[in-house]
Amino acid sequence: GSAEELLTIYAPAGKLGIVIDSPDDGAPVIHNVKETSPIADKVREGDRLVGVDEEDVRTMTAIKVSKLISRKSSNSRRLIVIRYVASN
């Protein structure tokens, strides 16, 4: 089985160095995290992005979410992600 964890990640201003992808179903997924990313130690590939600051991004396309994150890049942002954790 797997459990869902809801995580809040505080991302600093500037580029985040993450690549977001639109899966066939569900919320946008973090597809790639660059080594230089300021949040590399906080996010994982496969995390589902469900919120950016106060906005629900579950139904947004990856392009839309990426633009939203870029548009807010002069400030720090709060990302809400769902992480699936395998449980024994």
Side-chain angles (χ1 to χ4, degrees), residues 18-72:
I18 58 174
V19 179
I20 299 164
D21 197 22
S22 294
D24 293 335
D25 63 322
V29 69
I30 294 174
H31 178 67
N32 185 266
V33 182
K34 299 190 173 100
E35 283 175 29
T36 52
S37 168
I39 54 171
D41 57 337
K42 297 183 184 134
V43 295
R44 288 187 200 160
E45 290 169 14
D47 286 355
R48 298 274 182 150
L49 198 53
V50 296
V52 176
D53 293 333
E54 300 305 314
E55 289 197 55
D56 184 337
V57 301
R58 264 175 280 224
T59 58
M60 286 189 190
T61 60
I63 293 164
K64 220 171 166 182
V65 176
S66 299
K67 282 186 177 162
L68 175 67
I69 291 171
S70 300
R71 202 167 64 229
K72 295 169 169 275

